[in-house]
Amino acid sequence: MTEDIKNKLLMCAEIYHCAGFIESDPVQFPHRYTLKQDIEISGLLTAIMSFGNRKQIRKKAEELHGLMGDSPYRYVLSCRWKDDFPAGAKNSFYRMLSYDDFYGYFQRLYTAYSCFDSLEEALNVYTGIPMEKLCAFLEVSAKSPQKKLNMFLRWMIRRDSEVDFGIWDSFDQKDLIVPLDTHVCRVAHYLNLTDSETFSLKNARQITVALAEVFPDDPCLGDFALFGLGVNGEI
């Protein structure tokens, strides 16, 4: 990596890694809460919905949070979600995510909070890096890039951030993998951080390793630089 590219990434991370990032990003929803469990639940479900048009994401996330009310944690424990998201209901809640899908998410969260104080504690019964633990909990493949889940993990684990929460102390931000979306992939390829524009876990890892050259203790800080450059059309 050239010094010019390193300097550009450092400069852009400083520009885009700020509180102003929150207002147009799905991370705004968990920022409504202060209780750890509320942040975890809001963050996970919002991240899972974070694909497609950003306006539509915010609209449906608003609807979901309207149902969960002042405390997603109390909502989960109350089991009201069984009425709002009936088991077996295959009609769409958001794009290809059905009401039954959300029933499944809430069921997993209910089980986790019935046994543990936090989702962080629940994930620590699994082995591997943070992404592998979360994939095991949700029973999804840990061999795909899992952009939405890696974004959620960034929110929970990255410390000293105006955007991310850093409330999971038992996880290391060095173990995070960059959330691989269209902007990040394209800009990373343009800057020669990767030799491919494919949406694969291998490519996400390659980009993360490249960012670690610039941000050795916090490679996902570079996510803000790549995303900002892409979404604002600078590259």
Side-chain angles (χ1 to χ4, degrees):
M1 186 186 306
T2 67
E3 286 301 314
D4 284 346
I5 290 176
K6 287 183 180 181
N7 290 333
K8 188 173 189 65
L9 289 170
L10 287 166
M11 178 185 69
C12 291
E14 185 174 352
I15 291 171
Y16 295 115
H17 183 235
C18 63
F21 183 90
I22 297 171
E23 63 186 47
S24 62
D25 191 80
V27 77
Q28 66 186 269
F29 290 96
H31 269 285
R32 296 177 178 181
Y33 307 101
T34 56
L35 185 70
K36 178 177 182 176
Q37 294 89 343
D38 288 336
I39 294 169
E40 290 177 333
I41 296 165
S42 171
L44 179 61
L45 297 177
T46 300
I48 286 171
M49 295 172 64
S50 293
F51 60 97
N53 180 276
R54 288 166 73 83
K55 183 177 179 180
Q56 289 301 312
I57 294 169
R58 292 194 297 268
K59 179 181 178 182
K60 292 303 289 188
E62 194 71 65
E63 181 179 339
L64 175 64
H65 284 78
L67 292 171
M68 294 193 294
D70 294 337
S71 174
Y73 181 50
R74 288 199 301 269
Y75 178 80
V76 167
L77 295 182
S78 75
C79 290
R80 294 199 312 272
W81 44 271
K82 291 184 179 181
D83 294 325
D84 295 332
F85 298 93
K90 298 300 183 182
N91 49 313
S92 170
F93 178 74
Y94 176 63
R95 300 190 70 175
M96 72 278 293
L97 294 174
S98 69
Y99 280 79
D100 184 63
D101 288 328
F102 277 88
Y103 179 95
Y105 298 138
F106 281 115
Q107 180 68 63
R108 291 177 192 280
L109 289 166
Y110 177 82
T111 301
Y113 288 113
S114 297
C115 300
F116 300 95
D117 287 337
S118 67
L119 182 56
E120 177 184 13
E121 287 188 18
L123 293 188
N124 272 320
V125 304
Y126 301 99
T127 60
I129 62 171
M131 174 187 162
E132 291 166 342
K133 291 174 183 283
L134 184 55
C135 286
F137 172 73
L138 293 173
E139 296 187 13
V140 297
S141 174
K143 295 182 179 180
S144 66
Q146 297 292 3
K147 174 255 181 180
K148 295 171 287 185
L149 301 188
N150 281 316
M151 183 175 69
F152 166 69
L153 290 168
R154 197 202 78 201
W155 292 350
M156 296 299 104
I157 297 170
R158 281 197 67 252
R159 297 178 292 277
D160 303 318
S161 170
E162 294 181 271
V163 179
D164 301 322
F165 296 88
I167 56 175
W168 285 5
D169 296 330
S170 61
F171 293 80
D172 193 329
Q173 61 190 18
K174 292 180 183 179
D175 293 329
L176 292 170
I177 297 173
V178 66
L180 191 64
D181 69 5
T182 303
H183 300 296
V184 169
C185 194
R186 178 175 58 80
V187 175
H189 185 255
Y190 179 85
L191 296 176
N192 295 316
L193 306 186
T194 176
D195 54 9
S196 171
E197 289 192 65
T198 59
F199 286 89
S200 65
L201 178 60
K202 179 181 178 181
N203 202 23
R205 288 183 179 278
Q206 186 174 356
I207 294 169
T208 304
V209 168
L211 291 173
E213 292 183 38
V214 187
F215 312 99
D217 297 320
D218 185 14
C220 277
L221 175 55
D223 180 32
F224 291 89
L226 297 178
F227 181 83
L229 284 168
V231 77
N232 288 302
E234 295 186 43
I235 290 179

